[in-house]
Amino acid sequence: MRSIEDISECLISAVVKIKSLPREDVGINSHILYDLYFDSVDLIEFLTEIEDCLNISINDDELGGFTTLDSISRVILARCNPA
């Protein structure tokens, strides 16, 4: 069982690594397009990092709901901790 904090930290760490940003410039409410300026290559690398970090597989259908790091963490939380 994963906590939202663990998932959020994984996401933020992945962004810092991919975009070479200072940790303090990335927050859980950062928008992946408008704040972090992700392009399609960044997104693929980001998803790979998330899947490796959390040992999950993310379906392409789920990508449409990804806007902020928080929205991504909530989708992942629901998948890792089904009701």
Side-chain angles (χ1 to χ4, degrees), residues 17-54:
K17 178 180 177 184
I18 293 164
K19 299 301 277 185
S20 300
L21 294 170
R23 170 68 176 85
E24 58 271 8
D25 288 354
V26 180
I28 196 63
N29 292 314
S30 296
H31 194 283
I32 60 174
L33 296 177
Y34 305 126
D35 297 326
L36 303 172
Y37 307 106
F38 269 44
D39 60 22
S40 57
V41 174
D42 292 331
L43 186 58
I44 291 167
E45 190 174 349
F46 180 61
L47 292 175
T48 301
E49 287 287 327
I50 294 169
E51 289 176 336
D52 289 346
C53 178
L54 298 173

Side-chain angles (χ1 to χ4, degrees), residues 44-82:
I44 291 167
E45 190 174 349
F46 180 61
L47 292 175
T48 301
E49 287 287 327
I50 294 169
E51 289 176 336
D52 289 346
C53 178
L54 298 173
N55 196 28
I56 62 169
S57 178
I58 297 174
N59 190 331
D60 289 345
D61 295 337
E62 295 172 309
L63 298 179
F66 290 176
T67 54
T68 63
L69 295 181
D70 182 59
S71 68
I72 298 167
S73 66
R74 295 193 182 282
V75 168
I76 293 171
L77 180 68
R79 298 228 10 254
C80 289
N81 303 319

Side-chain angles (χ1 to χ4, degrees), residues 3-22:
S3 71
I4 193 78
E5 292 82 11
D6 292 340
I7 295 167
S8 298
E9 185 54 39
C10 175
L11 299 180
I12 291 170
S13 295
V15 170
V16 167
K17 178 180 177 184
I18 293 164
K19 299 301 277 185
S20 300
L21 294 170

